[in-house]
Structures are given as C-alpha cells and as structure tokens.
Amino acid sequence: MELAILALRALMLAALYGFLGWAFWLLWQGLQRQSQKTGAAQLPALTLFALDGGEGEPQRFAQPEISVGRQPGSDLRLADSAVSARHARLTYHHSQWWVEDLLSRNGTFLNGERLTTPLVLADGDEVRFGGLLFRVEIENAPALAEL
C-alpha cells in the first residue's frame, strides 16, 4: 500500500513538473513572437549632412544609439578641437530620435538653442556639435503638414 502511495506521489510530481515545463515553454514562445514583431518595426535611419564645409560625406546611421565625439570609439567621430571626446548622444526611443549633450565643453545646439535637456529631433533640424553644424534627415519622417 505504501509503495502504491509513493508511486502515485511520484506520478503526480512528474505531472506537475510536466505541466509547469509546458506552461513556461508556451510563455517563452509567446515572448519570442512578440519580440520578433517588435523587432520588425524598424527604426528610421538618421542621416547627418555636414554644413559650413565640414566633415565631407553624409553620415547615415541605422542603429538606436549614436555617440558623437573626438574619441576613437565614437560612431560619429569629429576631428575638431571644439568637440569634446564624449560630446553628445543621439538615441531612438519612444518612436522618436532624441539628441542629448553629454556635458560637453562647447555645448550642443539644436536649431541655434543650446541643449540643457534631451530634445526630440525632427527632419530638417540643424544640430551643432562644438563648431560643426549638421542638418538632420530622418527616413520616413512625417511631413510637417501631417503633424
């Protein structure tokens, strides 16, 4: 009799672990599908065009974070003495591109105004990093008339 109860307990324990494994597997599959759907919503590429005869070719970025500065690891490396080593950061979140000054010595300016907090970028904005001016172009940006 005791052997039958022990076997029944073991069977119930195996069934419980089997159920929990199946439930976690279903949750994992749902998260994977949701992640793929979210990843499919591609972020719009950002292109920076140098103005005032600066830095040559347009720089196109398709990653969610862009570092700007003089240091070698910067995504947008600017060889200008007015640009700090870690000058600014451009990030894509909340379905918008943002620009943020990283306490640079000569400041980051958006359309002529010095940044004190992160601000949203719009297609056609002008951003100045130290002494270098860039025009921002955002792929698939809504036209001003649509806003």
Side-chain angles (χ1 to χ4, degrees), residues 21 25 35 54 58 63 67 69 76 78 92 98 100-102 106 117 129 136 141 147:
W25 182 80
S35 174
Q63 67 229 42
S67 60
L76 179 60
L78 303 174
Y92 186 79
W98 295 72
E100 172 184 12
D101 183 67
L102 298 177
N106 293 314
T117 61
F129 305 111
V136 174
L147 296 177

Side-chain angles (χ1 to χ4, degrees), residues 7-90:
L8 186 59
R9 283 184 177 174
L11 185 62
M12 292 295 287
L13 187 60
L16 176 64
Y17 280 124
F19 173 76
L20 289 174
W22 175 74
F24 282 123
W25 182 80
L26 283 178
L27 285 171
W28 178 256
Q29 293 298 314
L31 287 172
Q32 293 288 43
R33 279 192 299 276
Q34 185 65 30
S35 174
Q36 289 172 352
K37 286 180 187 177
T38 304
Q42 200 173 349
L43 68 94
L46 179 102
T47 305
L48 297 171
F49 294 88
L51 303 176
D52 296 340
E55 303 297 308
E57 295 293 315
Q59 300 289 316
R60 185 178 184 276
F61 300 96
Q63 67 229 42
E65 184 171 318
I66 304 160
S67 60
V68 179
R70 278 194 341 259
Q71 72 184 18
S74 297
D75 297 310
L76 179 60
R77 189 167 180 217
L78 303 174
D80 184 83
S81 61
V83 175
S84 298
R86 291 186 65 241
H87 195 93
R89 177 175 37 228
L90 305 169

